[in-house]
Amino acid sequence: MNQAYPEANVHTFLPLPPRSLTAPPPPYHLPTLIGTYSHLSDRTIVHDDTSMPYYRKAPVGCDLNYGFERRIERDEDLEEHLDGLCESLMEIEQRNGRPALRQGSFITWRGMITRIMTAPFEERDGWEMTAIPLGGSIYVELHDPPDVRQRRRKEQSSWAWQSYMGYSFESFSTFPPAGEAQSPDWPQGWSGDVNQNIQWCNIVRSAIGDIPLCLGGEVDCVNVPPGSPHPGLLGCMELKTNKVIENQKQDIIFNKKLLKHWAQSFLLGVPTVEVGFRDDDGILRSQTSFETVKIPRLVAAIPQPPWSPAPCFHFLHAVLNLVLTHVLPTDPTPKRPLQEHEPLPDAMVWRFSFVPRRGCELYKVGTVK
Ligand code: A3P
Ligand code: MG
Ligand code: MG
């Protein structure tokens, strides 16, 4: 991208809602699945369910450190932007012969909406996102400048082992992919070495209040017999790992973490979150399945609940409404069909950033070719 940034100017500031807010928020519509695609082991994309893993319960006692030396990590320097999602949307539109989305839709990764939605309870991590209006939609992605990425990479490397156990739990919790060679040396339940390039993405349409959303996100597995077709969102599962909870402090931390687990799965319409609890040595001790929609009630029932969903939905709607109101009118796309070979006009680039405990600021940044 060839970017020319005049001096950024703060456009609007949106404070966080009070954490105690209970007023009914704008409803989040039940997500509808509109497509899927798969990243293969070399990161190429196919527009089908090749990389859809099938769930089977991991054996208690399995060692989540297994295979660490053979793991393949995703190349973080590869800037994919929203490419997979956009490519898939074009595929869906071609297949259906009509537009996949309503005018004024936000097109983004589920992870971006999770970040916005959980911001009212976020204590530590700020973020910055880019919003570009084009063709009647607003494309949103993380703004990830090199210094921020460098810092994150450093942080991640100190968590590498813990992070790996999340992936190895996925391998132990799924069947080996059909047609892949299996080794007699593998421990019980192992379905193949971790390759972070492989991902199965689901694309849903939803809305918060009257603001349409199109979200793409990875789904960890489906809970149907191996070889079955995609069972729909109701058959999808999210897998997580956590340290075994042995004291009140760990219980408080877990209940805080449930906010992100809930938001991540709720936004995509994934009904089940299974948490694998491991000990300090990385041995799986137990699993618990949570019904996504019941997580807020579970947390509300504990003394001094660390979060509640109402401020999250209010803030999500307020942020998206702010962005929509200012950004969509700057869409340079002509309201008529483009002529053959007519160059696309330069797009307007906006940013919005979040500072924990403060709120969200919207900036106009410049144009991009
Ligand atoms: P856990 O979920 O058990 O923490 P996801 O849960 O979203 O499917 O991601 C799978 C695993 O990737 C996670 O396992 C975690 O280990 C790792 N992971 C996800 N997001 C991460 C991040 N921002 N930084 C480091 N590791 C991350
Ligand atoms: Mg995942
Ligand atoms: Mg997971």
Side-chain angles (χ1 to χ4, degrees), residues 92-200:
I92 294 164
E93 295 196 346
Q94 260 171 20
R95 197 178 340 125
N96 297 346
R98 59 184 155 81
L101 303 175
R102 273 167 55 195
Q103 285 285 305
S105 290
F106 280 88
I107 299 175
T108 189
W109 299 120
R110 169 266 311 270
M112 299 303 103
I113 302 297
T114 308
R115 276 186 160 101
I116 302 171
M117 190 161 138
T118 57
F121 296 97
E122 178 59 50
E123 306 276 352
R124 203 188 52 182
D125 297 326
W127 43 254
E128 199 167 3
M129 293 183 198
T130 304
I132 297 180
L134 213 57
S137 298
I138 300 175
Y139 296 81
V140 172
E141 67 171 2
L142 194 67
H143 177 54
D144 206 17
D147 55 321
V148 176
R149 195 180 306 184
Q150 185 78 13
R151 208 175 329 128
R152 199 186 45 235
R153 197 170 296 165
K154 247 193 202 149
E155 273 175 26
Q156 274 175 355
S157 65
S158 62
W159 290 101
W161 207 282
Q162 187 176 320
S163 169
Y164 175 76
M165 290 193 275
Y167 288 104
S168 72
F169 180 58
E170 290 178 2
S171 179
F172 277 116
S173 300
T174 51
F175 281 95
E180 296 271 315
Q182 296 171 46
S183 163
D185 300 336
W186 285 356
Q188 193 205 341
W190 188 248
S191 72
D193 290 343
V194 169
N195 181 338
Q196 290 181 12
N197 288 320
I198 300 172
Q199 279 186 308
W200 181 53

Side-chain angles (χ1 to χ4, degrees), residues 56-76:
R56 69 169 168 192
K57 199 167 180 182
V60 166
C62 66
D63 179 1
L64 299 180
N65 300 292
Y66 179 77
F68 180 79
E69 326 67 54
R70 294 188 303 280
R71 75 197 184 284
I72 296 174
E73 294 182 339
R74 189 159 49 249
D75 179 1
E76 294 247 1

